[in-house]
Amino acid sequence: MNHKRTRLALIAGIAAAGLFGLGSASAADKGTIKIVTHSPLSGPNSPSGESIKLGAQLALEDYGKLLTSQGFKVQLQPEDDQANPNVGVANANRLINDPDILAVVGHYNSGVFIPSSEVYAKANLVAVSPANTNPQVTDRESTRAIANRICGRDDVQGPVGADFAVKDLKAKKVYVINDKTAYGAGVADAFEAAVKKAGVKVMLASGVDDKETDFSSVLNRAAIDKPDIIYFGGYYQQGGLLLKQMRQKKVGAVFMGGDGLDSGDLQKIAGSENVTKAYFTTLGVPLSKLPAAKKFAEVYKTKFNKDPEAYSAYGYDSMRVVLQAIADSAKANGGNKPSREQVAAAVRKVKFDGLTGKISFNSRGDIEVAKYVVVGVGPTPDKNDVKSIIEKKAPNS
């Protein structure tokens, strides 16, 4: 063996290793950070789920440099929960085993977020929701450290709708129907409690299967009872059918519901001739009322050849939240990849003026101040009429 040659090789190797460790690393050296969007990309809810993903994608293109400038590669990982709790949980169990995944933007359905976030919490994987409104999204102790949202809550949205029904529509007697999902039942219950408190008679409070397409039994009864309002807690696919069948059966009650009706497909399903006397509340402020989102709407339409949906801009702001939190926690960690616990803690400290308004969180993970909108449904989505926009602090803030 040539001992002199061996020593020279060792010296050269040590020198190379030292140079790497002293920080001359390239972007690839710090590894990859993955951010997941988790929403329905197939099935009936896919237009809304896709719009969340595309909004988040645009934010990553605009703000990904927060991480690439620190030497990380950043990767968007879209996941399809199919608006199905079982699929969401199965995906979540797979995602938590990938150490490169540091945050989730999602979901669209509260009934998917709630069980999926129980899995995320086991691995301290933070989630920022653009659209989940059920109070249980942030009220559970078990997920308190990782569950966040930048939209409002149904225990505020329901009363906002009830206030409009009582004061503006002068309702005295109502039907309240829900689709038995976590979201639909939650917002309907909140509306029902609020109208009862205001002295309105609830003539019928009932749930229907979320796959039901024939509402004859309810509407035949409504033709006799003649309620002033039929309130539906559920999504636009069923809501559009219910509204269509109301008008076909000559039921003249006002049709009303929550943000699950907020989709450009509502009129397509109901038929433009049937959307008379129809309203919904939403937490997704129309982009026409968000001056900061004007450029976003233009870029979105140019890039994807379609208009943004209700929660597209909220997907954008949710992605910006997690990018900022990861960047801040990486800096605090000496420029190294942060832990999931560090990212989750950093999310609660993020503050900025986003497309959708001021973004900051309370200790529960709710946005501190949310906007609630009452919309009159027009024959086409661009003819929808914003009746009011109300800002409300999150309960328990």
Side-chain angles (χ1 to χ4, degrees), residues 128-332:
V128 177
S129 169
N132 296 127
T133 54
N134 187 288
Q136 287 302 306
V137 166
T138 52
D139 280 357
R140 292 162 298 147
E141 289 289 344
S142 58
T143 58
R144 178 61 48 79
I146 60 93
N148 309 272
R149 62 177 142 204
I150 65 164
C151 60
R153 299 165 49 113
D154 288 337
D155 50 357
V156 180
Q157 178 180 199
V160 166
D163 192 62
F164 180 76
V166 173
K167 293 180 179 176
D168 293 78
L169 302 179
K170 311 299 182 187
K172 301 296 184 187
K173 50 186 181 179
V174 302
Y175 274 20
V176 182
I177 303 167
N178 74 79
D179 65 358
K180 298 182 180 178
T181 66
Y183 160 70
V187 71
D189 288 349
F191 175 86
E192 180 184 350
V195 292
K196 280 182 175 176
K197 189 176 181 180
V200 173
K201 182 179 181 180
V202 178
M203 305 177 78
L204 174 70
S206 181
V208 296
D209 187 90
D210 65 352
K211 303 294 188 299
E212 182 61 69
T213 58
D214 182 356
F215 302 97
S216 294
S217 61
V218 170
L219 296 179
N220 288 339
R221 178 173 170 177
I224 297 170
D225 286 346
K226 300 187 184 307
D228 297 321
I229 291 175
I230 295 179
Y231 185 92
F232 178 65
Y235 295 95
Y236 59 91
Q237 300 92 341
Q238 276 191 307
L241 285 176
L242 175 58
L243 176 55
K244 182 178 183 178
Q245 292 173 29
M246 282 175 62
R247 300 310 179 225
Q248 289 174 337
K249 288 181 173 294
K250 309 301 182 188
V251 175
V254 167
F255 175 75
M256 203 174 168
D259 61 310
L261 303 179
D262 189 1
S263 169
D265 284 348
L266 177 66
Q267 288 91 341
K268 294 179 185 176
I269 297 169
S272 60
E273 71 279 13
N274 294 319
V275 294
T276 56
K277 298 197 298 184
Y279 303 89
F280 61 79
T281 53
T282 184
L283 288 65
V285 179
L287 296 185
S288 61
K289 302 296 182 181
L290 294 172
K294 182 180 179 181
K295 182 181 178 183
F296 165 80
E298 293 171 352
V299 171
Y300 188 105
K301 186 163 188 175
T302 300
K303 190 175 185 70
F304 305 122
N305 196 31
K306 54 186 171 184
D307 290 318
E309 288 273 341
Y311 288 106
S312 303
Y314 290 77
Y316 183 99
D317 277 351
S318 295
M319 174 60 83
R320 187 177 169 190
V321 167
V322 301
L323 286 168
Q324 187 66 58
I326 296 170
D328 291 346
S329 51
K331 288 179 181 175

